[in-house]
Amino acid sequence: MARRIALAVLGLTLGMLVAPGRGNAAETIKVGFMAPLSGIFAQAGKDMLEGIRLSFEQIGYQSAGRKIELIEEDSEGNPAVAQAKYRKLVTQDHIHVLTGVLLSNIGYGLIQPIERDQLPTLFLTTPDDLTKKNVSKWILRTNFAASQPMHPLGDYAAKTLKYKKVVTIAMDNPFGHEQIGGFQRVFEDAGGRVVQKIWVPLNTLDFAPYLTQVGKDADAVCAVFVAAQGVRFIKQYAEYGLKARLPLIGSGVMTDEHVIRNLGDEAVGAVGALIWAPTLTTPANRTYLKLAEAKVGRTPAYFTAIMYSAGRWVGEASKIVEGRVEDRERFLAAIRKASETVEDPRGPIKLDDLGNPTQNVYILKVEKVGGKLTNTVLHTYPMVSQFWTYKADEFLKLPAYSRDYPPARP
């Protein structure tokens, strides 16, 4: 009898350990990561990977008594490759959460399978519609909606820099369209005018045919490029004499550390808008910079900071659910809660009802400090919504920012 009772107790104990929805200390929390680790956007992808690795190293790759396993995949910047890698992560690796994803077209393509699989996901990618009209309950954004930081830049360009006419030049993809759209709408609402819009194919590294199109009747140029494209654009902008006559403003991603670490004086003076800068003096940012610089041996990029946040949210959320990450609804809710309780290098964050962070936007200027290029903060726009100061319902009635909307007004 005693032997039968002992066996029954043992069976019950084992059943509790492997029961669905309960954390098993013998199993790992599997975190999928996807980004372009090869191709022209590879540096951005590698910076992203550095960030999430740093967050897990900080907690010893453990949370709530379970080990954390980071499974890394290279999307190659190719939507078809990204779909195949996603299927592997879900069906073979059995990940509990997906992180990363840089490019808008890849992000859009993953929405349907993520919805189907009900997979908690932390996207870095920025498509406006992802948290405006095409919302998925399973996707939270760690970054910003593409137009979000460019709304304040439009305001700053008109009201502080006093520009009246601006030419825009940007990558011809959803990120470029939406960033320029956000800038243009607010700039023109404040009395300015975008007189010319130039679109550049995504893989272009020779900007000569496009720079020669820039008209002379303007006060400045507003540009949007990322990674290797950003480096080449800023170099050629100076080489073709435009820097000397037209101030350069634009996406803070274009003038981020991952770009300017490859540049010299040609980048000095460029003004951008972004949600993080290495010169922020908050305690959380100082702590983060100390960790990151010791690990990577240089000033980290903005992509590194955002993925560091994502990893910290995952780690804290795992504690909130006491390791029971298999309970996807509860784990997703815990990630949302963690985003607001974990101190972030960029400043305060509050996820809105659509899954996008309301957060500070910083107007930055590239300057040389101690012989080294860095982004200094000119102005802070506190707790900027993805809808700027517009009412959400009225904003959503208007056409989405696109290649042709708003139109240029020569």
Side-chain angles (χ1 to χ4, degrees):
M1 177 65 72
R3 185 168 181 268
R4 285 200 299 270
I5 293 172
L7 288 172
V9 171
L10 177 61
L12 178 61
T13 303
L14 290 173
M16 291 175 64
L17 286 173
V18 298
R22 296 183 68 88
N24 180 354
E27 296 176 353
T28 59
I29 298 171
K30 295 186 177 182
V31 180
F33 170 86
M34 188 191 302
L37 301 175
S38 57
I40 68 170
F41 299 107
Q43 188 56 60
K46 291 173 182 176
D47 287 332
M48 291 166 62
L49 183 55
E50 283 180 350
I52 196 164
R53 283 177 175 171
L54 181 65
S55 69
F56 292 148
E57 287 170 6
Q58 190 177 12
I59 58 175
Y61 277 87
Q62 293 188 46
S63 182
R66 297 178 69 174
K67 292 182 179 179
I68 294 174
E69 180 183 358
L70 181 63
I71 304 168
E72 306 160 6
E73 295 291 349
D74 179 9
S75 71
E76 302 175 19
N78 183 313
V81 171
Q83 288 285 341
K85 295 294 180 69
Y86 173 83
R87 286 194 297 272
K88 172 192 173 290
L89 287 168
V90 171
T91 62
Q92 295 181 35
D93 299 315
H94 305 292
I95 61 172
H96 297 107
V97 59
L98 175 66
T99 67
V101 183
L102 174 68
L103 299 177
S104 299
N105 55 346
I106 289 176
Y108 276 128
L110 290 175
I111 294 174
Q112 188 173 351
I114 288 169
E115 278 281 296
R116 178 196 65 216
D117 299 326
Q118 298 185 349
L119 180 67
T121 299
L122 288 172
F123 265 174
L124 181 141
T125 193
T126 61
D128 270 19
D129 260 9
L130 190 68
T131 53
K132 286 188 172 74
K133 296 181 180 179
N134 193 12
V135 178
S136 167
K137 67 167 283 186
W138 295 100
I139 299 173
L140 301 176
R141 194 178 343 244
T142 59
N143 195 5
F144 55 77
S147 62
Q148 188 175 359
M150 297 297 277
H151 288 142
L153 184 65
D155 183 82
Y156 191 82
K159 296 179 181 178
T160 301
L161 299 177
K162 307 295 184 183
Y163 295 150
K164 299 297 183 184
K165 298 179 181 180
V166 168
V167 173
T168 67
I169 179 169
M171 54 205 305
D172 194 1
N173 76 334
F175 182 69
H177 304 158
E178 292 168 355
Q179 284 234 301
I180 291 299
F183 168 82
Q184 183 178 355
R185 180 174 177 188
V186 175
F187 181 63
E188 293 187 339
D189 281 355
R193 191 163 94 243
V194 170
V195 296
Q196 184 183 13
K197 299 172 82 169
I198 301 169
W199 300 110
V200 180
L202 194 58
N203 293 316
T204 297
L205 288 175
D206 180 11
F207 294 90
Y210 308 96
L211 291 171
T212 55
Q213 296 177 38
V214 175
K216 297 180 180 179
D217 186 22
D219 300 317
V221 168
C222 179
V224 178
F225 296 102
V226 176
Q229 277 197 315
V231 175
R232 288 293 299 155
F233 175 78
I234 292 174
K235 282 184 176 180
Q236 289 191 299
Y237 192 81
E239 290 169 1
Y240 279 79
L242 290 169
K243 175 178 166 63
R245 64 182 180 86
L246 287 174
L248 180 63
I249 63 175
S251 175
V253 180
M254 183 183 68
T255 54
D256 174 54
E257 307 302 309
H258 81 284
V259 172
I260 63 174
R261 68 169 69 121
N262 300 298
L263 293 169
D265 288 348
E266 61 266 52
V268 173
V271 172
L274 202 54
I275 58 175
W276 174 82
T279 50
L280 295 176
T281 58
T282 62
N285 195 47
R286 287 199 296 266
T287 298
Y288 160 70
L289 282 172
K290 185 177 180 180
L291 288 168
E293 288 173 347
K295 179 65 180 178
V296 304
R298 61 174 183 267
T299 303
Y302 127 85
F303 293 113
T304 308
I306 302 308
M307 288 307 302
Y308 173 77
S309 297
R312 280 169 50 94
W313 295 1
V314 169
E316 182 62 24
S318 301
K319 292 180 183 178
I320 292 171
V321 298
E322 299 175 315
R324 295 173 173 85
V325 296
E326 290 82 3
D327 185 341
R328 295 184 174 192
E329 291 267 6
R330 191 171 169 226
F331 187 38
L332 186 71
I335 293 173
R336 177 182 280 276
K337 183 177 180 180
S339 72
E340 298 176 8
T341 57
V342 172
E343 286 193 352
D344 197 280
R346 73 190 101 162
I349 292 173
K350 182 172 179 57
L351 287 176
D352 64 23
D353 292 341
L354 302 174
N356 190 77
T358 296
Q359 58 197 319
N360 293 351
V361 171
Y362 305 100
I363 304 300
L364 309 174
K365 185 176 183 179
V366 179
E367 295 182 333
K368 186 171 281 188
V369 179
K372 177 183 174 184
L373 294 182
T374 192
N375 280 281
T376 59
V377 179
L378 298 178
H379 184 74
T380 300
Y381 285 87
M383 297 303 283
V384 175
S385 160
Q386 63 173 324
F387 297 105
W388 181 231
T389 58
Y390 305 114
K391 293 182 179 179
D393 56 345
E394 294 177 3
F395 188 103
L396 293 172
K397 290 176 184 176
L398 295 172
Y401 297 135
S402 67
R403 197 179 197 275
D404 302 310
Y405 180 81
R409 297 190 295 140

